[in-house]
Structure formats: structure tokens, C-alpha cells
Amino acid sequence: MLDVQCLSKVYKTGKRALNGIDMIIDRPQVVAIIGSSGAGKSTFIRCINRLVEPTSGRILLNGKDIVALDRKDLRSARRRIGMIFQEYNLVERLTVMQNVLSGRLGYVSLFASLRYRFPAEDIRAAFELLDRVGLAGYQDRRADALSGGQRQRVGIARALMQRPDLLLLDEPTASLDPKTSRQIMRLVGELVAERKTPAIINIHDVALAKSHADRIVGLSEGALVFDDTPDQLTDAALARIYGDEDWTLTSNNEAAGA
Ligand SMILES: Nc1ncnc2c1ncn2[C@@H]1O[C@H](COP(=O)(O)OP(=O)(O)OP(=O)(O)O)[C@@H](O)[C@H]1O
């Protein structure tokens, strides 16, 4: 499915944000990317759909190297990658249904999309997705009248309207309260399994990553320093990812409900 080979990114400033990352995702799973601020998590996720241009390396999605594509082919490859953002990126003055259908833009003709005329099967799929993400009956609400959790559900439905081969989620719960964050992560996990679409999630909350991801990848200063199942994320592994913080103390506090 996804085969990332020796991916590096050096920004124009000379900052090396990613240093030879290798990662294979060969089945539908939730992969959480964790690491300190500045470790390269956003850069990694954004390189995969070339919102950030990789400096070197290969990113094979179903055998096609995203890095080597010209503009036109990149546009169609991007349609196969659903992106979900921290700030939802909805069009505020449009309805929930219009936002979800916008996931199909690029598939329907420009003329049809400008007038928001979509095939009946797209509209049926949008209703089904709204139902699935828990927003049945919300189709005519304006996006700016929704709560954060509801907005993120719209963001998820919009990404799934693309029928993507891969989902990229950049800090999808960072603007949400803890309970809503768990609900959103649970929903993502269910959808990954149901639709057999892998998801890569850039996430700060280690506890949330541990409880909802199938696999955890730890970055430190642009290098991959951990890649394993959540149960292997020991204090020693956390120290490798985050440095010399006292992780024993943190996990004891968490256990005590602090
Ligand atoms: N456009 C840019 N130009 C120059 N340097 C950048 C740019 N974007 C990011 N960086 C640098 O690259 C490094 C990795 O940044 P990145 O945003 O990928 O980290 P991150 O792990 O996502 O951090 P955070 O958790 O704070 O979002 C950082 O040192 C950052 O300052």
C-alpha cells in the first residue's frame, strides 16, 4: 500500500526536518506518529501528499512514486489521499452537505462543481457517510453552526468521499476536548477497519495514541527512532523519542488519574 523509502526533507533555511525515513504500511491500520515539537511529524505527513516537497527519497502509494509525479499526475494521486486537519478546513458559510460533497471536487466537471451539482450516487454516498459519522439530519446546517467535534466529523466524511487509498490526519484532535478526542479517534479506528484504508495520524497525546493506534512511529530530530505496537512503547522507548524527561513519573501520574 504505502512504502516510504529514505525520505528526507531539508527546508530552504538549511533545517534538516526529516533524515532518511523508511516506513512500510502493508495493511489497513492506524499509524500514530509521535515525537516532540519540531521532531518532523507535520513535515512527514505533508511530504506524503507533497504539500511539502521532499528533498529526496521515494513515496510509493500502491506502487506509484508520489515524489516523481508531475503536476497533473500529482493532482490525481492526491485525490487518492484523504487529508484531515486540526482546524477542520471546512468552508464555514456552506452547509454540511456541501462541505462533504466538496470531497468529490476534482471528480465531477468544473461546471457541475461550481454549481454544486453532483451525481445522485455521490449525494447518496454523502448521506450514508453523514449517518456513519454520527451526523444524520445535519446536512443542511451551516458549518459555522457546528461544534468542534461535529466539524471534525464533517472533515472525516469529506475525506472519505474521495474514496481514498490512504488517510492522513494532521493533529485531528488538537482542538478538541479529551472526551471528544477519544470519540473521534475511535471513529477513525472503526472507519479504517471498515473501509480497509490505512491512516497516518500526527498526534501529540501519547495516551490517546497508545489507546487508539495499531502501530506507533516515534520521530526524534527528523529520524525514526521507534516503530512498533503500542504495548512496546515502554518508558525507555518514550525516553528515546522524547529525550530525558522522567517518563516513569508521567506514567505513574497518569495511572493515578493526575
Ligand atoms: N517551512 C519551514 N521552513 C523552515 N523550517 C521549517 C519549516 N517548517 C518546519 N520547519 C522546521 O522543521 C522542523 C520540523 O518541523 P515540523 O513542523 O515537521 O515538526 P512537528 O514534529 O510537526 O512539530 P509540532 O509538534 O510542533 O507541530 C522544525 O525544526 C521546524 O522549525
Side-chain angles (χ1 to χ4, degrees):
M1 288 184 173
L2 182 74
D3 184 357
V4 176
Q5 299 174 357
C6 207
L7 179 65
S8 292
K9 172 66 187 178
V10 182
Y11 283 106
K12 284 201 184 88
T13 54
K15 172 73 196 173
R16 178 171 284 274
L18 293 178
N19 198 0
I21 305 288
D22 292 305
M23 192 181 87
I24 292 176
I25 301 181
D26 58 5
R27 68 199 115 120
Q29 57 179 187
V30 176
V31 181
I33 311 286
I34 63 169
S36 306
S37 194
K41 304 181 296 295
S42 289
T43 302
F44 178 69
I45 262 191
R46 284 160 192 269
C47 275
I48 291 177
N49 60 2
R50 279 179 55 190
L51 283 178
V52 168
E53 280 296 337
T55 305
S56 59
R58 284 162 35 107
I59 300 169
L60 302 167
L61 181 60
N62 295 333
K64 204 178 259 184
D65 185 4
I66 306 266
V67 180
L69 297 178
D70 62 23
R71 248 173 205 292
K72 182 169 151 285
D73 288 341
L74 176 61
R75 218 175 303 131
S76 62
R78 275 196 182 135
R79 288 187 207 135
R80 313 303 308 170
I81 303 176
M83 183 102 189
I84 292 161
F85 301 88
Q86 172 181 344
E87 294 300 339
Y88 325 116
N89 284 20
L90 304 183
V91 183
E92 296 287 324
R93 62 189 173 75
L94 295 185
T95 66
V96 165
M97 178 55 90
Q98 286 169 324
N99 271 284
V100 173
L101 283 169
S102 72
R104 294 299 285 168
L105 295 180
Y107 287 94
V108 295
S109 75
L110 179 66
F111 180 71
S113 65
L114 284 173
R115 314 178 99 224
Y116 273 89
R117 290 170 65 93
F118 290 83
E121 69 180 277
D122 284 352
I123 293 171
R124 204 163 39 238
F127 271 113
E128 271 172 31
L129 274 168
L130 282 176
D131 191 22
R132 180 60 191 90
V133 301
L135 290 180
Y138 281 74
Q139 61 275 4
D140 296 327
R141 291 261 193 111
R142 268 174 60 137
D144 54 11
L146 300 178
S147 70
Q150 289 167 339
R151 281 168 195 233
Q152 198 52 294
R153 288 169 193 272
V154 176
I156 292 169
R158 178 183 56 189
L160 290 172
M161 269 307 280
Q162 291 173 238
R163 299 186 196 120
D165 296 326
L166 175 69
L167 285 169
L168 300 177
L169 298 92
D170 198 5
E171 294 274 359
T173 60
S175 305
L176 303 175
D177 65 67
K179 185 176 169 199
T180 309
S181 297
R182 283 198 301 278
Q183 290 170 341
I184 291 292
M185 288 297 286
R186 197 175 315 122
L187 176 65
V188 169
E190 289 167 2
L191 290 166
V192 163
E194 283 167 24
R195 301 197 156 231
K196 308 210 178 336
T197 307
I200 304 179
I201 307 185
N202 164 9
I203 191 163
H204 264 288
D205 187 327
V206 174
L208 203 57
K210 269 185 104 160
S211 55
H212 290 87
D214 303 304
R215 172 178 171 190
I216 296 191
V217 167
L219 297 184
S220 173
E221 296 180 4
L224 190 154
V225 295
F226 179 88
D227 185 357
D228 214 325
T229 47
D231 59 313
Q232 297 301 312
L233 195 63
T234 58
D235 292 339
L238 285 166
R240 211 176 333 134
I241 301 166
Y242 289 98
D244 50 12
E245 175 129 1
D246 188 345
W247 285 100
T248 321
L249 195 66
T250 308
S251 48
N252 285 347
N253 284 348
E254 274 168 10

